[in-house]
């Protein structure tokens, strides 16, 4: 390397440096921009807007799977797709369960990455709606959602589907099918700010679930002691 | 839990960078920054459009609706506010058009307006950065969620683009070698920069700065199921071998004339013997091919080794 032409070396180094700086300039502002919007949204989170969410009482759940079965029946899941799933795990205190679907997040990552705007957040109750009929099946949302709520079977319809919070039933005054089906009142729904005030209610960060800060999910859990 | 991105996404990210890097190589050569090989000034312009277009087409066919309701794809352009994929669709569409237009003008022996090549260069840089940004914004995949990743992909794109352009230029213009000293020096800088960036990004992940899942993901690359690809194809064949070949070549070339050292040597037999120059050139071209291979393996390990922040099981 000692034989390298010093002048040329410096020039080339400058060029490489300039290109890197340009690349950083493209990358970094986007990163900081994203963070600042997250902070802003978190600040308004406790505010006026109504947000429906689920309440799941882990201490009451018996793992009967009635919620998922009712969801499947009501919403005609496609082959190989699950809108709601009951997870289970054997621990020292016996078996624990977790029934989870789409969490209708306050900051839905699915909606922000979707290139075709198939996701919308309903103004009046914060339900995250997905229009499968315009979905192109890029699956970006499957990667963006920390809860694996959007599901996709390329061989079937080739469009993403996910929990709709039984929006049609709710609009006619009914309850979501999963909530209606629960025999032990472990699964409930309502205004998430009220649900968060229930005694024992915590953010869904139990049993290895991801940090709620990513999407601000509208799910409240009463953990099993 | 089953995710869906397969081989095509890795190929797409790789080809996006390769094509854009090839464009930037010819752009740099056109400005006289890489010597004055006529082939180097055109090969990248000719290659870039088709390479990026092929990558894009592959991805289109991979979409759930690509072969069912392709007209839905028109809406890929609508989420300008927040979808990096939408940004990519715009960037790639404009880049493909501009680079194909430049290639057409060159082919028709018309003058290419300088402004068009400048616009193309900005779009090419944006294309390279986009391929990394697409992954970097995904918070649910902690290994990807690092804003140095687009920087690494840009450097890798420049490196693979330079290699493929030098390689193709030498095939087109046999014997009439490019300005090896300049391109080889650039190679060395890019490889060093890439090694540093890989070290920082994977090091951050390995040391837990990006959380447990990123550490687990990077362990799959450094010691797990992707280690064989990472160490052999990327680190050794894709970075170290090209680095040492380039440094060795610079020592050889540096003792001759600056500029067209190899062709000068071949012509006059001055400082490097003709046969030796010929075999040195072959080794350098082989190392260019290895750089391209390494660039693909980089995309492959980053895409496939990354684990989701929650794997769908309770703890």
């Amino acid at each position: 390397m000692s034989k390298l032409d010093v002048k040329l070396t410096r020039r080339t180094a400058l060029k490489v440096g300039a290109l890197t700086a340009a690349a950083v300039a493209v990358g970094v502002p986007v990163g900081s921009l994203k963070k600042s919007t997250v902070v802003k949204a978190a600040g308004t989170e406790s505010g006026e807007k109504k947000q429906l969410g689920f309440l799941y009482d882990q201490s009451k759940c018996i793992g009967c799977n009635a919620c998922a079965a009712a969801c499947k029946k009501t919403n005609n899941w496609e082959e190989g797709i699950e809108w709601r799933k009951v997870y289970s795990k054997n621990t020292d205190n016996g078996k624990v369960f977790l029934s989870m679907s789409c969490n209708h997040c306050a900051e839905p990552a699915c909606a922000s990455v979707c290139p075709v705007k198939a996701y919308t957040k309903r103004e009046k109750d914060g339900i995250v709606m997905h229009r499968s009929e315009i979905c192109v099946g890029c699956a970006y949302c499957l990667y963006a959602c920390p809860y694996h709520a959007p599901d996709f079977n390329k061989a079937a319809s080739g469009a993403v589907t996910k929990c709709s919070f039984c929006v049609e039933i709710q609009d006619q005054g009914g309850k979501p099918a999963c909530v209606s089906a629960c025999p032990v009142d472990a699964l409930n729904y309502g205004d998430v700010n009220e649900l968060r005030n229930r005694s024992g209610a915590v953010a869904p960060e139990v049993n290895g679930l991801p940090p709620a800060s990513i999407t601000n999910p509208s799910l409240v859990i009463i953990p099993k002691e | 839990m089953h995710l869906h991105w397969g081989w095509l996404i890795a190929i797409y990210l790789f080809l996006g960078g390769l094509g854009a890097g090839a464009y930037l190589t010819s752009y740099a050569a056109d400005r006289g920054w890489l010597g004055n090989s006529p082939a180097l000034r055109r090969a990248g312009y000719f290659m870039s459009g088709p390479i990026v277009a092929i990558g894009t087409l592959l991805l289109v066919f991979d979409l759930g609706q690509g072969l069912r309701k392709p007209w839905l794809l028109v809406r890929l352009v609508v989420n300008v506010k927040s979808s990096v994929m939408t940004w990519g669709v715009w960037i790639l569409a404009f880049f493909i058009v501009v680079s194909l237009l430049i290639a057409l003008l060159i082919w028709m022996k018309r003058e290419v307006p300088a402004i068009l090549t400048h616009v193309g260069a900005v779009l090419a840089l944006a294309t390279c950065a986009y391929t990394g940004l697409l992954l970097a914004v995904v918070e649910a995949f902690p290994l990807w969620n690092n804003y140095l990743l687009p920087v690494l992909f840009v450097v890798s794109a420049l490196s693979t683009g330079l290699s493929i352009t030098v390689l193709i230029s030498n095939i087109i213009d046999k014997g009439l070698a490019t300005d090896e000293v300049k391109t080889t020096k650039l190679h060395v800088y890019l490889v060093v920069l890439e090694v540093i960036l890989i070290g920082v990004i994977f090091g951050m992940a390995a040391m837990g700065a990006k959380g447990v899942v990123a550490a687990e993901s990077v362990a799959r690359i450094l010691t797990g199921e992707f280690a064989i690809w990472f160490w052999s194809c990327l680190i050794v064949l894709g970075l170290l071998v090209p680095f040492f070949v380039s440094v060795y070549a610079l020592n050889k070339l540096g003792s001759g004339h600056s500029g067209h050292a190899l062709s000068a040597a071949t012509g006059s037999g001055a400082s490097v013997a003709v046969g030796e120059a010929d075999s040195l050139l072959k080794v350098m071209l082989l190392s260019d091919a290895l750089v391209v291979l390494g660039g693909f393996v980089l995309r492959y390990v980053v895409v496939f080794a990354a684990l989701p922040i929650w794997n769908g099981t309770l703890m």
Side-chain angles (χ1 to χ4, degrees):
Chain A
M1 291 296 288
S2 58
K3 287 176 188 167
L4 294 189
D5 184 318
V6 174
K7 219 168 75 192
L8 245 181
T9 305
R10 201 175 295 142
R11 266 175 57 195
T12 320
L14 277 173
K15 279 166 203 161
V16 172
L19 285 171
T20 314
V24 174
V26 174
V28 170
V30 176
S32 42
L33 185 132
K34 190 143 185 288
K35 282 294 156 211
S36 66
T37 54
V38 166
V39 170
K40 213 173 89 196
T44 56
E45 165 215 325
S46 57
E48 334 70 54
K49 255 187 197 169
K50 189 176 174 185
Q51 171 69 60
L52 282 181
F54 285 108
L55 172 72
Y56 172 69
D57 192 333
Q58 207 172 21
S59 59
K60 284 185 184 166
C61 180
I62 54 169
C64 70
N65 219 37
C67 49
C71 179
K72 180 176 183 173
K73 190 164 173 248
T74 307
N75 297 298
N76 295 311
W77 294 351
E78 246 186 278
E79 178 78 39
I81 278 176
E82 292 173 303
W83 283 12
R84 174 172 287 281
K85 192 172 172 183
V86 181
Y87 301 89
S88 68
K89 168 85 180 175
N90 288 309
T91 67
D92 299 340
N93 321 338
K95 214 161 186 178
V96 293
F97 301 101
L98 174 71
S99 171
M100 194 163 63
S101 65
C102 169
N103 293 324
H104 301 277
C105 304
E107 298 148 50
C110 53
S112 88
V113 301
C114 178
V116 299
K117 286 190 181 172
Y119 291 92
T120 47
K121 198 156 170 64
R122 195 156 83 159
E123 198 65 27
K124 71 171 187 182
D125 49 19
I127 292 179
V128 174
M129 322 248 280
H130 179 261
R131 289 173 63 197
S132 292
E133 68 275 17
I134 63 164
C135 169
V136 291
C138 73
Y140 203 7
C141 54
L142 272 69
Y143 287 80
C145 174
Y147 304 100
H148 310 293
D151 209 347
F152 171 66
N153 181 350
K154 202 177 166 193
S157 75
V160 168
T161 61
K162 72 159 194 78
C163 155
S164 64
F165 221 144
C166 288
V167 69
E168 299 88 351
I169 299 175
Q170 285 207 50
D171 285 348
Q172 287 163 19
K175 291 179 177 181
C178 52
V179 170
S180 303
C182 182
V184 292
D185 199 31
L187 193 61
N188 236 305
Y189 81 113
D191 187 318
V192 79
N193 291 316
E194 284 168 27
L195 298 178
R196 284 184 180 127
N197 291 329
R198 299 280 181 96
S199 79
V202 297
E205 292 180 333
V206 299
N207 299 109
L209 288 179
S213 59
I214 301 176
T215 59
N216 199 355
S218 307
L219 169 66
V220 177
I221 290 184
I222 299 175
K224 190 176 181 179
E225 285 309 318
Chain B
M1 181 202 70
H2 33 91
L3 298 166
H4 287 267
W5 287 354
W7 274 95
L8 285 175
I9 186 83
I11 295 172
Y12 162 74
L13 297 181
F14 164 71
L15 290 180
L18 184 73
Y23 179 96
L24 289 167
T25 303
S26 279
Y27 178 79
D30 216 7
R31 313 254 87 65
W33 300 341
L34 298 177
N36 42 21
S37 155
L40 201 64
R41 290 169 56 186
R42 294 152 66 190
Y45 286 148
F46 280 124
M47 274 187 287
S48 57
I51 289 176
V52 176
I54 288 167
T56 309
L57 272 181
L58 284 177
L59 196 69
V60 162
F61 291 129
D62 197 36
L63 295 176
Q65 299 300 326
L67 299 171
R68 287 171 215 251
K69 297 177 185 165
W71 58 89
L72 291 178
L73 271 57
V74 174
R75 280 186 58 90
L76 282 170
V77 299
V78 299
N79 196 357
V80 180
K81 196 180 149 203
S82 68
S83 175
V84 175
M85 197 177 280
T86 293
W87 302 353
V89 169
W90 281 106
I91 292 167
L92 264 64
F94 279 115
F95 178 71
I96 291 168
V97 168
V98 168
S99 61
L100 286 179
L101 188 60
I102 291 173
L104 184 70
L105 288 172
I106 294 172
W107 185 65
M108 290 166 66
K109 297 195 163 56
R110 299 266 197 86
E111 197 181 334
V112 182
I115 181 76
L116 197 60
T117 62
H118 298 326
V119 169
V122 172
L123 289 167
L125 262 184
T127 299
C128 310
Y130 153 71
T131 61
L133 199 60
L134 184 74
L135 303 180
V137 295
V138 181
E139 279 184 83
F141 279 73
L143 181 66
W144 294 346
N145 190 221
N146 184 335
Y147 289 97
L148 283 174
L149 193 68
V151 181
L152 170 63
F153 278 24
V154 168
V155 172
S156 170
L158 294 175
S159 182
T160 53
L162 175 66
S163 285
I164 192 95
T165 313
V166 167
L167 196 59
I168 299 297
S169 299
N170 274 285
I171 291 170
I172 295 172
D173 275 351
K174 239 184 205 144
L176 215 174
T178 62
D179 209 338
E180 290 88 0
V181 175
K182 288 181 179 175
T183 55
T184 308
K185 274 182 186 167
L186 186 54
H187 257 143
V188 172
Y189 294 124
L190 289 171
V191 166
V192 169
L193 209 53
E194 194 172 338
V195 169
I196 292 171
L197 282 164
I198 288 174
V200 171
I201 293 170
F202 287 8
M204 279 167 83
M207 309 221 294
K210 289 276 163 186
V212 186
V213 176
E216 265 175 60
S217 305
V218 85
R220 279 151 59 89
I221 297 174
L222 301 181
T223 55
E225 55 189 299
F226 295 91
I228 177 94
W229 297 105
F230 175 74
W231 292 109
S232 67
C233 290
L234 176 55
I235 297 297
V236 176
L237 293 177
L239 293 167
L240 293 182
V241 168
F243 175 78
F244 287 115
V245 166
S246 299
V247 170
Y248 173 78
L250 279 177
N251 273 313
K252 282 277 175 200
L253 299 169
S255 61
H257 316 274
S258 61
H260 285 258
L262 270 189
S263 38
T266 329
S268 65
S271 55
V272 190
V274 177
E276 199 185 335
D278 196 42
S279 50
L280 179 60
L281 185 64
K282 281 194 180 126
V283 171
M284 288 166 71
L285 293 183
L286 182 68
S287 111
D288 279 322
L290 291 177
V291 168
V292 177
L293 169 79
F296 174 71
V297 173
L298 172 68
R299 295 344 181 259
Y300 170 76
V301 297
V302 169
V303 168
F304 289 102
L307 297 167
I309 194 160
W310 181 55
N311 67 2
T313 59
L314 301 185
M315 291 203 298

